[in-house]
Amino acid sequence: MNQNLDMTPVEVSDEILERFKHVPIATVWMAVNSILGVPLSFMEGVRSFTPNKRLAARARTLRFLPPRIDKEKDVKRGENSPEYLAMERCGPGDVLVADIMSKKYAAVAGDVKLLQLKMNNADGLVTDGAIRDMGVLEEEDYDLIVYAQGRTPYGGRPWAEPSEENIDIQCAGVLVKPGDVLVGDDDGVVVVPSWWAKTCIDWVETHEEVEAEIKNKILVENVKPGKYYPPTPEFKKEYIKSKKKNH
């Protein structure tokens, strides 16, 4: 990785988000892991509760902490409490990302609180805890993409209370900064730093095109995949060169 990269967070465009919705997260993970050199970008244990829906959205972050009376006094401010401030930041192209310390049965919110995301037309919710009232979200068409560890009837207590928002958090062991891109499909969720999103999707799209070309050659020539896969750097260069010629 080039250590001189400009790592200043950026607001990722809707156009780039749309491109991420058409590529598998396996290849996105490969790019972040192998090209950028970030070893932990896949949220282990977090799965989709809205199958066949693709997520590519900017992270708006919320952090939970264990309850304690002095902390609760600071953060329980009704409509100005951290969870509502975090959801207020979410609009189209944004996803609420909640660090609830990987507490498997602790809910980040239920149907009443999540009305704010529905009213704001946010893309969804990702948490390393649980989702409550998932059935209501489906029946009343909240139109939210949801990733979590599981479903639960519980609230956040006794494990956690919303405490801070719009800060760097972890979610399922992955660092998430406000504005990072969360890319999800039925395999799970990968986090892409906002400042690398454009480079990432360019690389991923090219890699997917190269693999499609390889699959075609394998089928046409009726050979074992190992003849062409994995693609060599030379094969990639030749593909890119031929693509430029054809354009």
Side-chain angles (χ1 to χ4, degrees):
M1 186 190 71
N2 183 354
Q3 298 298 323
N4 295 320
L5 283 173
D6 183 355
M7 301 182 191
T8 306
V10 301
E11 183 77 358
V12 177
S13 71
D14 291 342
E15 183 266 332
I16 289 177
L17 296 179
E18 184 61 31
R19 289 167 63 189
F20 271 112
K21 292 178 183 178
H22 300 279
V23 296
I25 71 154
T27 311
V28 176
W29 172 82
M30 184 192 306
V32 178
N33 181 70
S34 303
I35 308 304
L36 187 58
V38 176
L40 297 175
S41 62
F42 174 65
M43 293 185 176
E44 297 180 2
V46 170
R47 62 188 181 91
S48 173
F49 282 84
T50 45
N52 302 316
K53 289 191 175 182
R54 305 294 298 266
L55 176 70
R58 296 170 290 262
R60 307 304 177 199
T61 59
L62 174 64
R63 184 185 184 200
F64 285 70
L65 290 172
R68 207 171 79 177
I69 54 174
D70 51 351
K71 186 66 174 177
E72 290 174 31
K73 182 181 177 183
D74 292 336
V75 300
K76 284 202 168 182
R77 301 189 300 268
E79 63 184 358
N80 292 317
S81 61
E83 69 267 41
Y84 294 123
L85 295 178
M87 286 190 278
E88 187 177 18
R89 296 181 189 276
C90 295
D94 299 326
V95 59
L96 179 68
V97 188
D99 167 7
I100 201 164
M101 303 171 291
S102 294
K103 299 298 182 182
K104 188 174 180 180
Y105 297 106
V108 61
D111 62 313
V112 179
K113 287 187 176 183
L114 293 177
L115 271 173
Q116 187 166 10
L117 292 182
K118 177 183 179 179
M119 292 187 296
N120 288 4
N121 295 311
D123 282 22
L125 163 70
V126 175
T127 177
D128 60 1
I131 181 67
R132 179 178 172 178
D133 301 324
M134 189 65 213
V136 179
L137 269 59
E138 295 169 336
E139 291 164 11
E140 298 185 6
D141 194 22
Y142 276 51
D143 196 27
L144 297 173
I145 300 170
V146 176
Y147 288 85
Q149 280 206 68
R151 295 176 67 160
T152 187
Y154 297 151
R157 296 178 72 91
W159 304 281
E161 286 278 10
S163 295
E164 299 169 285
E165 60 95 23
N166 197 36
I167 60 168
D168 295 355
I169 61 170
Q170 75 78 41
C171 189
V174 179
L175 173 64
V176 183
K177 288 175 168 283
D180 282 350
V181 177
L182 269 68
V183 186
D185 60 19
D186 287 348
D187 287 343
V189 180
V190 169
V191 179
V192 181
S194 64
W195 46 267
W196 202 66
K198 172 66 166 59
T199 302
C200 181
I201 192 59
D202 287 346
W203 186 92
V204 167
E205 287 174 340
T206 298
H207 188 85
E208 284 296 299
E209 290 174 14
V210 168
E211 288 202 346
E213 178 69 12
I214 285 174
K215 286 164 71 175
N216 183 60
K217 286 176 74 67
I218 291 167
L219 291 170
V220 169
E221 298 177 19
N222 192 29
V223 296
K224 295 176 182 177
K227 181 174 180 179
Y228 295 114
Y229 187 82
T232 64
E234 291 74 25
F235 188 98
K236 272 192 171 184
K237 285 179 185 176
E238 283 301 313
Y239 173 80
I240 293 168
K241 190 185 293 183
S242 65
K243 185 179 174 184
K244 285 179 180 176
K245 279 183 181 177
N246 295 330
H247 284 77

